Amino acid sequence: MMSNQESEKVYSRRSSVRVAVPASTANLGPGFDTLGMALSLYSWLELKEAEQTSITLLGDQLYGIPTDKTNLIYKIAQSVFEKTGVSIPELEITMYSDIPLTRGLGSSASALIGALAAANALTGHLLSDEELLNMATAFEKHPDNVGASLYGGIVAATWDGEQARCIGIQPPEALQALVVIPEFQLSTTKARDVLPAQLSMADAVYNISRSSLLVAALSSGKLEMIREAMQDRLHQPYRAALIPGMEPILAHAAEYGALGIALSGAGPTMIALVDRHSAQKQQLENYLLQTMQSHGIAAQALWLEPVTEGVIYYYDTESSSFMDTVKGEVRL
């Protein structure tokens, strides 16, 4: 998160800025709408003052996104300008993303945070990170993904409808993530529609206890506690029918080396937390892909790192192209 020293810096207005924003996984099993973690996939955004608005979308992950002023990035940026009293009605917007759309890896949250952060940078950072978090959460209705993308690391967050509160946790050094991304999309709305309106007292206590245990395990580095701590009765049992292969994966991934496994966000991606020193990493990857395949689902596996930094700002952009920034980050 931003240090006190950084928060006291005086920023000047800019005519252009680039930002890189990490992907995120949310819930981590029992922490429904409250726990999130930043991951080493990124979306990039450049905003420039312009005489006429133009929007350029690069890469395969942004297909179908509007390229006029109905574009969400444009509208979110204008909300920042309106809130700060800064007038920048026309923007040149360039976007690129490695984060798969609607797969449970925070693609919408990263775009939202990117738009807020970049627009705020153009104003000279007139809004604090806390204000950006509140704006993002008001839009998303839950603070886990946006908090992780904004601040980096692991976040525990709450939202009361007006105020988001967020505390960061440093990911344990040995922690690594394996995500298995099915080749189909699942909207958050559809994934929420299958959830029950009420829970039993037993299920509520079950989730509260495991969510608390998970926060303690991640804070203390007690990785051996993650398997029990990532168990959930609130959302995963109801969403399993939407994702072929999910039930056996939740039941058996630990036998193949996972510290714990969960649906990433609303899915359909599954995320396994792994000890980076484990000798079973390849075995686990094979098991997850083969299980998906056995249920007729094509999928890809990616090894990702928890990232401790949230939004990255690039101010001196005149000497390099937008894609040079992207390639520098991902080392293409």
Side-chain angles (χ1 to χ4, degrees), residues 153-169:
I154 300 166
V155 297
T158 64
W159 170 247
D160 63 8
E162 295 181 3
Q163 178 77 34
R165 302 189 185 279
C166 183
I167 293 178
I169 300 168

Side-chain angles (χ1 to χ4, degrees), residues 137-206:
T137 307
F139 185 87
E140 284 280 282
K141 307 305 180 189
H142 46 91
D144 41 8
N145 289 110
V146 291
S149 285
L150 177 63
Y151 293 118
I154 300 166
V155 297
T158 64
W159 170 247
D160 63 8
E162 295 181 3
Q163 178 77 34
R165 302 189 185 279
C166 183
I167 293 178
I169 300 168
Q170 183 78 6
E173 181 280 329
L175 195 67
Q176 198 172 20
L178 171 62
V179 294
V180 174
I181 308 169
E183 291 185 5
F184 68 90
Q185 297 182 340
L186 179 60
S187 72
T188 300
T189 299
K190 183 176 180 180
R192 285 183 179 268
D193 284 346
V194 301
L195 301 183
Q198 294 182 321
L199 288 175
S200 68
M201 177 69 75
D203 285 351
V205 172
Y206 185 97

Side-chain angles (χ1 to χ4, degrees), residues 263-282:
L263 191 63
S264 183
T269 294
M270 302 287 295
I271 182 166
L273 300 186
V274 182
D275 185 331
R276 71 177 63 253
H277 309 296
S278 171
Q280 292 183 276
K281 290 165 65 173
Q282 189 60 55

Side-chain angles (χ1 to χ4, degrees), residues 41-62:
L41 285 174
Y42 287 86
S43 63
W44 287 264
L45 174 66
E46 181 175 72
L47 296 188
K48 290 183 180 180
E49 293 189 30
E51 294 184 1
Q52 184 174 348
T53 292
S54 65
I55 300 174
T56 302
L57 307 177
L58 303 171
D60 298 331
Q61 302 297 347
L62 302 175

Side-chain angles (χ1 to χ4, degrees), residues 66-89:
T67 56
D68 56 22
K69 288 184 178 180
T70 64
N71 182 283
L72 178 63
I73 299 297
Y74 177 84
K75 293 195 289 187
I76 293 297
Q78 292 303 321
S79 72
V80 172
F81 303 146
E82 181 179 354
K83 189 176 182 69
T84 56
V86 174
S87 178
I88 309 178

Side-chain angles (χ1 to χ4, degrees), residues 105-127:
L105 288 170
S107 58
S108 63
S110 68
L112 177 59
I113 290 296
L116 290 168
N120 191 44
L122 292 186
T123 73
H125 291 270
L126 293 178
L127 301 178

